[in-house]
Structure formats: C-alpha cells, structure tokens
Amino acid sequence: MTARKTKYLSLAERRAYHSLEDIVGCKWSAGVVASIARGVRRPGELERYIPGISKKILNERLRKLTDYRVIERQEIPDRVKHVEYRLTPTGEKLAHLIEQLQELGQQHLDSLPG
Amino acid sequence: MTARKTKYLSLAERRAYHSLEDIVGCKWSAGVVASIARGVRRPGELERYIPGISKKILNERLRKLTDYRVIERQEIPDRVKHVEYRLTPTGEKLAHLIEQLQELGQQHLDSLPG
DNA sequence: CGGGGTGGTTACCGTTTTGTGCCCACTTAC
DNA sequence: GTAAGTGGGCACAAAACGGTAACCACCCCG
C-alpha cells in the first residue's frame, strides 16, 4: 500500500471494500466461498461439508454471494430438485485471496510466542 | 484453491482463518489497517482520517490488532502524550491483502451492470 | 401410504457488536 | 482560569447477527 495519506479514506474506497467486507466479514462466508472453490457445489452438500453451519445461515450467505455476483446459482434439470452454485471470475479471485488470508493467519499463529 | 474436496473443512482451517477473520471481519478493522499502512499512525489522526469511526471502536480495534501482533503500539517521549501505531510484518502482509480485496471489490463494482 | 431426500423460508429469541455520550488525566495556549 | 488537544475508559441503548426449530413444496422408494 503506497503511503498516499490523503486527508480521508475516500467514500469510494470505503464502499468498494465494503462490498467485499460484507462477504469476507461475516461468519461462515469465507468458508462457503472456500468450499465452493473446492468443488462442493450443492446446498445440502455444503451444509454437510461445513460443520456447524445452519440451513438458514447457509442460504443467507448463498443469496448474498449470488447478489454480489461472487457465485452463480443454476438449477439443473432433473426429476429431483438439483441446484449447483459455482464461482464467478470475481469469486475465484476472492477465493484466492481468502486462501492467502488463511495461510497468512496460519503462519502468523505459528510464529506467535504464546 | 485446489479442489481437494475432503469430507469436511478442517477445524484447523476454520480456526486459522478465524484469527484473521476476527480482524478483517469486524467493521472498521480493515480501514484501520489500511490507514496505518498509508502512514496515518496516531490515534487522533486515525479518528479524523476514518470518517464515521468512533473513539470507542477505534480504540477497541487498535487494542485487538495489537493483541494479534498485527500492529505495534509505541509511546513516543514528548511533553505531550504521543502514541504511534505501526504495522508488524504480518500487518504489512495483511494490509497488502486488504488492498487487493479493495481493488477486487472496486473492479467488480465497475463491472456490474446495475 | 409413510419416511426420507432435495432446496428453501419464516418466526422467534438470545447474544454480539456498534454507536452515543460522558468521563478521566495530562499538557499547552490564550 | 478556560479552552482545546493528547490518549483512553465506561455505561448504556440500539442494531445487527446467529442459532433453533418448525414449516413449505417437491420427488422418489418401498
């Protein structure tokens, strides 16, 4: 980050980040993105894959992520309801950043004295 | 993210991210880190630089970030109280990721139809 | 038919998190 | 003395968030 040190953090900057902060920021979101990135695409599958997440929260996140165009929802024709979510290009980049965040967190933890 | 698709998201993975999620995750945190990365080092300065943040939240974040060793607090000898915060190595890496997150968010917003 | 799977919603309630305002001690300038 | 700036704390109200559980419609199998 280049030290610009303008008077304020611009509104645009705050909002730009905010759109992704809303995603990375709330509980489970990063896990959902990371899971989809790993190929877990169906809601029920995600629910089982991410231990502890509730149906409600999972759906809330999926909807939000879809609204942000970070993932895409597609219904697959079948006799049984079949839905799959996949990452959009932005979603993939986001997943990559989340992964780096996870790695950084891990390294950091390992380096702590306590 | 390589598609491993193990049965579950491991606890370690969830926790590793959690340590940084606690930082990136809560409101204002990213802004504080980004601001410090830009050279805004003093509490009062940060308060003015980040429009809308409250004294309380700012202090809470500074304390949390300090606890996590993402930033360091130093009192500078002066007749007047003079405190400065700066990023630790991890903090700089984190700031870099946050910056990328902001950029990605910005690009993404620009690319949206609506 | 009942039981189980799919995907999804809603109401309710408790906990967390934010935000507001007031307070502290200290120093400097007026 | 008074005002304003430094860094910081606390109590409280307001808002956001999460978790539980019930419920919907649909389809399939036995």
Side-chain angles (χ1 to χ4, degrees):
Chain A
M1 196 156 297
T2 31
R4 281 179 280 157
K5 201 168 175 178
T6 49
K7 199 160 172 60
Y8 302 116
L9 214 50
S10 78
L11 183 72
E13 283 174 303
R14 281 180 292 142
R15 282 198 52 243
Y17 178 66
H18 222 80
S19 67
L20 287 184
E21 181 186 292
D22 280 352
I23 290 166
V24 173
C26 47
K27 210 173 163 186
W28 305 111
S29 281
V32 172
V33 172
S35 301
I36 295 178
R38 285 177 192 158
V40 187
R41 300 198 174 80
R42 303 184 57 171
E45 212 181 356
L46 283 163
E47 198 179 337
R48 274 171 265 118
Y49 187 75
I50 307 173
I53 197 170
S54 69
K55 235 176 171 41
K56 176 194 164 189
I57 297 298
L58 176 59
N59 282 322
E60 206 175 286
R61 295 295 174 276
L62 289 173
R63 204 150 12 82
K64 185 181 273 187
L65 292 168
T66 305
D67 289 345
Y68 274 117
R69 313 279 197 285
V70 163
I71 60 176
E72 270 171 356
R73 194 192 111 109
Q74 50 187 307
E75 300 204 15
I76 293 178
D78 199 345
R79 279 95 56 221
V80 168
K81 254 229 163 197
H82 184 162
V83 174
E84 293 198 359
Y85 290 91
R86 23 193 99 233
L87 300 178
T88 60
T90 294
E92 303 213 15
K93 289 176 200 150
L94 179 59
H96 190 233
L97 284 179
I98 289 174
E99 190 185 16
Q100 289 182 63
L101 216 41
Q102 291 175 334
E103 276 172 29
L104 179 59
Q106 189 57 63
Q107 287 166 24
H108 186 56
L109 276 186
D110 292 347
S111 74
L112 286 184
Chain B
M1 195 155 296
T2 30
R4 281 179 279 158
K5 199 165 176 180
T6 49
K7 199 162 172 57
Y8 301 118
L9 213 51
S10 79
L11 182 72
E13 284 174 302
R14 282 180 291 143
R15 280 199 52 243
Y17 178 68
H18 222 81
S19 66
L20 286 184
E21 183 187 289
D22 280 352
I23 290 167
V24 174
C26 48
K27 211 174 163 185
W28 304 111
S29 280
V32 172
V33 173
S35 301
I36 296 178
R38 285 177 192 158
V40 187
R41 300 197 175 80
R42 304 183 56 171
E45 212 180 358
L46 283 163
E47 197 180 337
R48 274 171 264 119
Y49 187 75
I50 308 172
I53 198 172
S54 70
K55 236 177 176 34
K56 178 193 163 190
I57 297 298
L58 176 59
N59 283 323
E60 207 175 285
R61 294 297 174 274
L62 289 173
R63 205 151 13 82
K64 186 181 271 186
L65 291 167
T66 304
D67 289 345
Y68 274 115
R69 310 283 196 283
V70 163
I71 60 176
E72 271 171 355
R73 193 192 111 111
Q74 48 187 307
E75 301 204 15
I76 292 177
D78 199 345
R79 279 96 55 220
V80 168
K81 254 229 163 196
H82 185 162
V83 174
E84 293 198 0
Y85 290 91
R86 21 194 100 233
L87 299 177
T88 61
T90 294
E92 303 215 15
K93 289 177 201 148
L94 178 59
H96 190 233
L97 285 179
I98 288 174
E99 189 185 18
Q100 289 181 64
L101 215 43
Q102 291 175 334
E103 275 172 30
L104 178 58
Q106 188 58 62
Q107 287 165 24
H108 185 56
L109 275 187
D110 293 346
S111 74
L112 286 184

